[in-house]
Amino acid sequence: MTKQIIYAVFLSVIIAITVVADDTSVFVLQNRLKKINNFYVHFIQKVINSDNNVVLEYRGELWIKRPNLFNWHMISPEENFLISDGKTLWFYIPSIKQVTAYWLRNFSDNIFFMLFSGNNIYEWNEYTVSQQGDFFYLIPISNNFNLKECRIKITDRGTIEKFSIFEEKGQHVDYYLLDQNNNDIDISKFYFAPSKDIQLDDQRK
């Protein structure tokens, strides 16, 4: 498996994105992102084509413990996991008993990390950022993986309710985060150890 498989499976969750522009908007967004250090949510992911029709829908759950710990569990239509233990990123597909391991640092500049994993440690220098209420709009200054715009809805309490990724060709992906729980999370949720019956594709080389 290659990194491109992760890009395809998560449909632009793992898209490289760094940002800057309006200093006030960037400051407000960064401060909201670092208000909550751990949480659990259910998520709905919808892929919408250029005719504004939903063509794919996914459901799952997400655990976050900043910095750098997360467990993205896709439940339907096909189960898979994306787990970070702080150093290694594990992509596990139970149905075929296969896991791919990557160094987490190789994904340090993508949107998923910016929103959920880090604590205000990324360079925001390739995107313009503007704000309207609880919505933040990130627009690329230059070409970036066919990305046209990213929109984030985050409250002043630091709760991310929705984010969307818009592509140049008209398709976009909406992510809805529901029923957030900010209780502490057991560290074992971010630990993955492949058993002997799981095939390991180790890309940490």
Side-chain angles (χ1 to χ4, degrees):
M1 295 179 70
T2 65
K3 290 182 183 178
Q4 285 72 25
I5 292 178
I6 288 186
Y7 296 159
V9 171
F10 290 94
L11 296 166
S12 302
V13 172
I14 306 300
I15 290 180
I17 177 172
T18 49
V19 206
V20 100
D22 178 344
D23 289 341
T24 301
S25 296
V26 171
F27 179 79
V28 173
L29 178 57
Q30 289 178 326
N31 275 278
R32 290 190 183 191
L33 287 171
K34 66 183 181 180
K35 283 187 176 182
I36 297 176
N37 287 322
N38 54 262
F39 63 87
Y40 166 80
V41 293
H42 297 281
F43 70 82
I44 299 173
Q45 173 183 334
K46 295 183 178 182
V47 181
I48 301 168
N49 65 17
S50 56
D51 295 322
N52 209 34
N53 296 318
V54 177
V55 294
L56 292 169
E57 182 170 319
Y58 302 85
R59 294 178 180 269
E61 52 190 347
L62 171 65
W63 294 262
I64 294 290
K65 194 174 184 68
R66 292 190 174 104
N68 298 329
L69 301 177
F70 62 83
N71 184 325
W72 176 280
H73 177 203
M74 188 79 72
I75 297 173
S76 67
E78 181 179 4
E79 186 178 33
N80 53 60
F81 295 83
L82 190 66
I83 300 173
S84 165
D85 60 16
K87 293 183 178 180
T88 297
L89 184 65
W90 304 93
F91 178 54
Y92 174 50
I93 305 175
S95 61
I96 60 175
K97 291 188 176 297
Q98 181 171 305
V99 64
T100 307
Y102 304 93
W103 288 123
L104 185 64
R105 61 177 178 265
N106 294 337
F107 295 88
S108 63
D109 62 349
N110 64 66
I111 188 171
F112 186 86
F113 282 75
M114 183 188 69
L115 295 180
F116 300 121
S117 196
N119 269 337
N120 195 23
I121 63 174
Y122 302 105
E123 296 181 2
W124 302 52
N125 58 6
E126 294 184 4
Y127 281 66
T128 59
V129 181
S130 60
Q131 177 187 1
Q132 292 184 358
D134 288 338
F135 285 90
F136 292 80
Y137 302 85
L138 285 57
I139 299 176
I141 295 171
S142 59
N143 219 2
N144 189 337
F145 290 91
N146 194 37
L147 178 66
K148 181 179 180 181
E149 181 182 356
C150 177
R151 299 177 186 174
I152 305 161
K153 184 181 181 183
I154 178 171
T155 70
D156 58 4
R157 295 182 179 181
T159 300
I160 300 173
E161 296 182 347
K162 178 185 178 182
F163 67 100
S164 302
I165 296 172
F166 292 79
E167 299 178 2
E168 290 287 353
K169 295 181 180 180
Q171 177 173 283
H172 70 276
V173 185
D174 291 334
Y175 300 86
Y176 301 88
L177 308 184
L178 311 171
D179 304 322
Q180 180 166 311
N181 185 319
N182 297 331
N183 293 334
D184 197 23
I185 302 169
D186 192 312
I187 199 69
S188 64
K189 183 58 69 175
F190 312 105
Y191 178 74
F192 186 89
S195 58
K196 292 182 179 180
D197 62 337
I198 294 176
Q199 179 183 354
L200 172 62
D201 178 13
D202 199 338
Q203 298 292 317
R204 297 170 297 180
K205 301 173 183 178

